[in-house]
Amino acid sequence: MANEWITELRVLIDDGRLLTSPADCYSYSFDGSFGSYLPEAVVQAQSTEEVSNVLKLANQRNIPVYPRGQGTSMSGGPLPVKGGIVLDVSQWNERLDIYPEDMVAVVSPGVITSDIHEKANEHELMYPPDPSSSHVSTIAGNLAENSGGPRGLKYGVTKDYVIGLEVVTPEGNIIRTGGRTIKNVTGYDLTKLIIGSEGMLGVITEATLKLIPKPASVRTLMVTFDTLVEAGGAISELLTSNIFPSKMELMDQASLQAVEQYSAAGLPTDVEALILIELDGHPLALEEEIQQTVTLCRQLGARDISVPEKPEEAKKLWEARKQVSPAIVQWKPTKVAEDITVPRSKIPDMCERLIDIRKRYQLHLVVFGHAGDGNLHPNIICDKRDHEEMQRVEQAVEEIFQSAVQLGGTLSGEHGIGTMKSPFMEMELGQTGIDMMKRIKQAWDPKDILNPGKMFPEPGQKLVLRDD
Ligand SMILES: Cc1cc2nc3c(=O)[nH]c(=O)nc-3n(C[C@H](O)[C@H](O)[C@H](O)COP(=O)(O)OP(=O)(O)OC[C@H]3O[C@@H](n4cnc5c(N)ncnc54)[C@H](O)[C@@H]3O)c2cc1C
């Protein structure tokens, strides 16, 4: 009985950090995606021992446990779809230690990612992964989703900067993976297995992150194009021209208009596409690379190119890019955010297909994203109370996924599968591919306690976005 296990939880967790009333649990029903599911209890964990005890109890009583950071997931990752306990680590942020001599950071799970950026910066070091949500999302959420961001183009994603973890297994045992060394091939790489496992294989309670020297200099270019396909083509060309930008972000006309209406940043709104480019490195080398990039962009049909001289001007442009996601929901209340990724050479083809899908389904489809690494964010702005519109959205989403996979791409570059993309897993992996993943899950979590109802499709499951 529910009451019985909640009584047992009270013995394990301090009163103020165990929430059980529907009103207190309500805000844990949502994340940054779709749907709402009320948990029976929320534990605001603050130690490895507490997490271990909760998981041991959950195993004895067969109660689902849903790890959660700040709930900014775009794929339904922390949603308690089968009730049970939400295990919130967002209050657990006591440790953020930088060890400059080893060039590592050791962090508690609830540390906010941008706090790691700031602390590393104080030591002239850099933690490169920079999801656009870095000012709110936790490192645990980033690790579980293997988050990326604009800098992924040159520096890679979260998994490339994690060298050690402390993890509580679904059965409540505590393990350490990797360590503080840059090289480590002792046994299977469990660190990499846990990163991106979406909270289904273990609860991360501490991480050791690799840091790198901060680049000596950084410059930004803003380049506009008359058409989205031209911009896509320019991105592909630039990437094969021996210039290696640290960021290359795309915004289509709808994104530009939304940002300007939301909080004016002086972006042009009369062009179909804008690319923000960041180059970093030695200042002398950068001057030459900027000249090369400007020349190449002109040859590729750019309408306007500007290179801000002052860091504050460049910062303003990057802040405007971060505003796209919140800005686009001013038009309609529902946002279906996708993050398909295609090989870089296929960016123009994917742009063409998105334009076609937008026209055929008559939807408000906005395109922006970390286009330099092929990761586009087609976002459909709609109203979930409008059944007819949502039916068109469901069909459009399916076509977006089909197009990405046909072009040699993937369903998700960084947001994860969660509840939102599980119906499409077979399209990319095939049944045997899914079965091999299920076997790993079964070995780690025989009772399916940790984050059940995610990633693997139920038989015949389809994407349903209509509110019934
Ligand atoms: C405006 C906006 C912009 C975004 N931009 C980006 C972007 O540029 N790049 C990107 O990759 N993502 C982006 N995201 C998505 C989201 O921010 C990331 O997925 C982020 O990593 C989630 O962190 P969180 O703390 O909110 O975790 P949550 O959303 O709470 O959880 C995410 C997943 O992590 C699991 N989890 C949480 N804590 C633990 C733990 N201790 N152990 C094991 N599993 C755990 C959860 O079960 C869930 O599956 C964006 C989201 C928003 C709203």
Side-chain angles (χ1 to χ4, degrees), residues 53-68:
N53 288 337
V54 168
L55 284 168
K56 282 179 180 158
L57 172 67
N59 256 273
Q60 279 164 14
R61 299 284 185 174
N62 275 314
I63 306 152
V65 176
Y66 292 91
R68 181 182 176 102

Side-chain angles (χ1 to χ4, degrees), residues 185-400:
V185 291
T186 305
Y188 292 144
D189 191 344
L190 297 184
T191 310
K192 290 281 194 295
L193 180 62
I194 297 293
I195 306 301
S197 65
E198 303 194 12
M200 296 172 71
L201 297 182
V203 178
I204 299 160
T205 49
E206 190 179 273
T208 304
L209 309 171
K210 185 172 78 173
L211 306 174
I212 61 170
K214 193 177 134 185
S217 186
V218 178
R219 296 293 300 275
T220 294
L221 293 92
M222 181 173 84
V223 189
T224 60
F225 287 88
D226 284 328
T227 72
L228 185 61
V229 177
E230 259 182 315
I235 290 167
S236 291
E237 286 290 330
L238 279 164
L239 290 168
T240 50
S241 65
N242 273 338
I243 301 165
F244 197 9
S246 47
K247 303 180 185 173
M248 201 186 257
E249 296 282 303
L250 176 71
M251 290 187 250
D252 75 352
Q253 191 168 29
S255 314
L256 296 168
Q257 288 167 345
V259 171
E260 284 305 302
Q261 279 171 23
Y262 183 69
S263 82
L267 301 177
T269 52
D270 60 341
V271 289
E272 260 196 30
L274 179 151
I275 308 177
L276 267 188
I277 303 172
E278 186 183 274
L279 298 162
D280 68 6
H282 190 280
L284 293 178
L286 272 192
E287 280 311 317
E288 203 174 314
E289 283 184 13
I290 288 171
Q291 287 317 317
Q292 281 175 15
T293 310
V294 169
T295 308
L296 198 60
C297 286
R298 287 218 175 93
Q299 287 165 2
L300 294 168
R303 191 205 273 196
D304 283 312
I305 305 169
S306 61
V307 187
E309 283 302 326
K310 294 187 185 145
E312 313 85 77
E313 291 165 6
K315 193 169 169 220
K316 204 170 154 196
L317 292 177
W318 288 105
E319 276 168 1
R321 159 65 188 90
K322 278 200 179 190
Q323 294 306 317
V324 177
S325 206
I328 52 181
V329 283
Q330 64 192 306
W331 291 322
K332 279 188 177 183
T334 311
K335 180 170 75 150
V336 177
E338 298 306 344
D339 80 312
I340 44 104
T341 305
V342 292
R344 289 163 181 180
S345 61
K346 301 292 182 199
I347 298 168
D349 306 67
M350 193 66 217
C351 289
E352 262 176 30
R353 292 201 189 198
L354 289 171
I355 292 167
D356 175 53
I357 291 169
R358 173 161 64 196
K359 271 195 201 130
R360 272 190 294 112
Y361 290 101
Q362 289 291 300
L363 289 167
H364 213 122
L365 193 157
V366 183
V367 184
F368 61 97
H370 321 304
D373 55 20
N375 187 193
L376 295 167
H377 290 318
N379 274 234
I380 303 177
I381 310 305
C382 46
D383 184 343
K384 69 177 179 180
R385 294 162 301 188
D386 182 341
H387 276 216
E388 186 280 322
E389 182 182 38
M390 293 315 283
Q391 220 163 351
R392 280 183 284 131
V393 176
E394 287 164 8
Q395 288 163 354
V397 167
E398 184 159 355
E399 268 202 46
I400 291 172

Side-chain angles (χ1 to χ4, degrees), residues 67-74 77-78 89 109 131-133 137-138 140-142 144-145 147-149 198-199 202-204 325 370 414-415 451:
R68 181 182 176 102
Q70 286 282 4
T72 65
S73 169
M74 299 286 219
V89 299
S132 303
S133 54
S137 62
T138 64
N142 291 186
E145 300 287 11
S147 297
E198 303 194 12
V203 178
I204 299 160
S325 206
H370 321 304
E414 56 183 25
H415 291 168
N451 218 348

Side-chain angles (χ1 to χ4, degrees), residues 96-107 111 113-129 139 151 155 157-164 179-182 207-215:
L96 168 44
D97 295 328
I98 307 284
Y99 297 89
E101 65 286 7
D102 284 336
M103 293 174 75
V104 299
V106 180
V107 294
V111 167
T113 314
S114 60
D115 291 343
I116 307 174
H117 295 149
E118 273 175 35
K119 199 81 186 275
N121 195 37
E122 287 171 17
H123 297 267
E124 296 297 311
L125 294 168
M126 176 163 87
Y127 173 64
I139 189 66
R151 278 201 287 250
Y155 293 102
V157 295
T158 301
K159 75 171 178 335
D160 301 311
Y161 294 89
V162 189
I163 54 175
R180 252 196 214 204
T181 57
I182 296 302
T208 304
L209 309 171
K210 185 172 78 173
L211 306 174
I212 61 170
K214 193 177 134 185

